[in-house]
Amino acid sequence: MMAKAQRERVVRMSVEQPLWRALTAYRVLTMLYAVLLFVFTRENFERPWVAVAFLAVMFVWTLVTLPKVANAASCTKTFLVADLTIALTGVMLTPVADFHAQQIDGPTLPSIWTAGSVLAFAIKGGWRWAAFASSFVAAANIVERGHPSQDTLHNVLLVWVASIAIGYVVEVARASERTLARALEIEAATRERERLARDIHDSVLQVLAMVQRRGTSLGGEAAELGRMAGEQEVALRTLVSSGLVPATRASEDAAQGAVVRTVEVDDDDDDVGRARPCDLRSLLAPHAGSKVSFAEPGAPVLLEAAAAMELAAAVSAALDNVRRHAGEDAQAWILVEDWPEEVIVTVRDDGPGIPEGRLAQAEGEGRLGVALSIRGRLRDIGGTAELISVPGQGTEVELKVPRGKAGQAR
């Protein structure tokens, strides 16, 4: 048997990454806009060499620091301070290069490139950082104008409000991202616990129940052994049922936020085998016997191996319930229907049926055969399990697996 290696898969979701890409494009485009704006209006500058020197620094700085605005990790506080300093320097140098800029209320040397520095603060640290940076930019613009006009005040206020709003949206997005990650982590952990509980129910618990029944019937020392097996069965059922996380608890825990981290089994040969089509009839045929009738189509019923094995395990669990609750003499029937869009397997018996409310009571006692071994398996492969029982008229379990979802079995 080949050993299976485990690998940890960390699912990292980032709703803010598109914002960093947009900021990168914004900085490049506004840098080019500022340069072109000077080229077309250079005759208006009294000291054009000041503008050329600053724009050259801004040009080189923008291109060199592109990796710094690629993500939150690379965008350090040192870079943010340096970037904001360059933007403020450009604003304050505007009247030095063009004295008439104050009188005609023209654009500053960095123009709208300055907003990129404020947006970097907003995306990195939220609305408080945005308010801090935009306040410095507003003060610099007011000082540069000397006597600011209504348009200047309007533009300053617009940058201030917009940057704070973007910072607030980023904070909300991060909180939502953490909540979603935590919810997915809890869902993955719950599914893994359910899978383990199914395996325990289908193996250990059934063996303990059999030992208890046989020991009680044999008497003597075997009866004591059966009593101990019964106690262990009850304890194990309690442990299995208490390990499952209710949906309400999962919803409450999800508010804390987390990174989704799951452990997967990595076996290339096993993955290839599970992806190959498998004839469901070959998995169900061994159940046929004197007490179980098996009706099948004349052609192969092909499903992906993973889905076929889960479906066969659910049928096996249903037959175990027939033997346990309907008695050894009960007759069972298995019917396989192969439709173009789904596969339906029906397991029916002629036992006494299930009293109303018994399934909920059994689940509360930790007896999760129907909840996990049947419904849980079908849910994991995208199918459904419907149980119909009338007292005195037997029980029917209908298992449906849509072909479009069968390949998503995990």
Side-chain angles (χ1 to χ4, degrees):
M1 180 177 180
M2 296 184 63
K4 295 184 178 180
Q6 288 185 339
R7 69 174 184 269
E8 185 181 53
R9 181 172 64 95
V10 180
V11 181
R12 298 190 181 276
M13 299 169 295
S14 178
V15 296
E16 66 182 71
Q17 193 59 38
L19 295 177
W20 289 109
R21 289 195 292 266
L23 177 60
T24 301
Y26 177 85
R27 288 171 61 86
V28 174
L29 293 176
T30 54
M31 177 267 295
L32 295 176
Y33 172 77
V35 172
L36 292 176
L37 188 63
F38 166 75
V39 170
F40 290 113
T41 60
R42 61 184 180 277
E43 65 275 2
N44 298 329
F45 286 80
E46 287 82 6
R47 301 182 181 89
W49 60 268
V50 175
V52 170
F54 171 77
L55 292 175
V57 172
M58 188 182 72
F59 181 87
V60 174
W61 173 261
T62 302
L63 296 181
V64 170
T65 59
L66 286 181
K68 291 291 185 180
V69 290
N71 51 64
S74 59
C75 186
T76 61
K77 293 181 181 180
T78 303
F79 162 75
L80 290 175
V81 173
D83 194 59
L84 182 61
T85 301
I86 291 177
L88 297 178
T89 301
V91 173
M92 300 306 296
L93 285 177
T94 301
V96 177
D98 182 13
F99 177 76
H100 295 286
Q102 292 181 322
Q103 302 176 359
I104 63 175
D105 200 18
T108 60
L109 285 178
S111 185
I112 56 177
W113 183 87
T114 307
S117 301
V118 178
L119 292 177
F121 273 85
I123 300 175
K124 173 67 176 181
W127 70 270
R128 293 176 180 84
W129 289 30
F132 171 81
S134 58
S135 297
F136 275 93
V137 172
N141 277 276
I142 293 175
V143 171
E144 182 268 333
R145 293 303 176 189
H147 300 283
S149 64
Q150 183 177 0
D151 289 340
T152 300
L153 295 177
H154 172 77
N155 293 334
V156 166
L157 182 63
L158 179 62
V159 173
W160 194 75
V161 173
S163 61
I164 292 178
I166 292 175
Y168 179 75
V169 169
V170 169
E171 290 187 359
V172 173
R174 284 174 177 162
S176 301
E177 181 180 349
R178 290 192 298 268
T179 301
L180 176 60
R182 179 59 178 165
L184 292 176
E185 182 184 22
I186 292 175
E187 180 186 8
T190 302
R191 286 185 177 274
E192 179 65 13
R193 282 194 291 267
E194 289 182 354
R195 186 189 66 81
L196 294 175
R198 284 199 301 266
D199 294 340
I200 292 174
H201 176 273
D202 294 346
S203 56
V204 180
L205 290 178
Q206 292 188 7
V207 172
L208 291 175
M210 183 187 68
V211 172
Q212 181 188 19
R213 292 194 302 269
R214 295 293 177 84
T216 302
S217 62
L218 292 176
E221 295 182 356
E224 178 65 16
L225 181 62
R227 183 189 65 79
M228 295 175 61
E231 293 177 354
Q232 294 301 314
E233 180 193 5
V234 172
L236 188 55
R237 287 187 185 278
T238 303
L239 178 63
V240 169
S241 60
S242 64
L244 301 179
V245 179
T248 54
R249 172 68 180 278
S251 300
E252 294 172 359
D253 292 345
Q256 300 300 322
V259 176
V260 182
R261 190 179 299 272
T262 59
V263 177
E264 297 181 335
V265 176
D266 186 12
D267 189 335
D268 295 338
D269 293 339
D270 185 69
D271 291 341
V272 172
R274 285 176 173 267
R276 294 172 181 169
C278 176
D279 188 358
L280 180 63
R281 301 179 306 169
S282 62
L283 299 177
L284 299 181
H287 293 298
S290 59
K291 300 298 182 181
V292 179
S293 300
F294 179 47
E296 58 177 295
V301 181
L302 298 180
L303 283 175
E304 289 195 4
M309 288 187 292
E310 290 294 318
L311 182 55
V315 172
S316 179
L319 293 176
D320 288 337
N321 287 336
V322 172
R323 288 189 291 269
R324 180 180 302 175
H325 302 292
E328 296 291 340
D329 296 331
Q331 187 72 28
W333 293 267
I334 302 175
L335 173 63
V336 179
E337 301 175 76
D338 186 13
W339 298 97
E341 297 182 354
E342 64 181 358
V343 174
I344 303 177
V345 179
T346 304
V347 181
R348 184 170 60 86
D349 65 73
D350 60 355
I354 302 175
E356 185 176 357
R358 175 54 186 160
L359 289 179
Q361 179 185 357
E363 186 171 347
E365 296 173 353
R367 301 179 180 274
L368 305 174
V370 175
L372 294 180
S373 294
I374 299 178
R375 288 175 178 163
R377 292 185 186 277
L378 268 294
R379 182 185 64 245
D380 285 352
I381 60 176
T384 59
E386 183 178 359
L387 191 145
I388 303 173
S389 181
V390 178
Q393 299 183 18
T395 303
E396 180 176 306
V397 180
E398 187 178 68
L399 312 175
K400 294 182 179 180
V401 180
R403 293 190 180 277
K405 296 182 179 181
Q408 299 175 5
R410 296 190 56 174

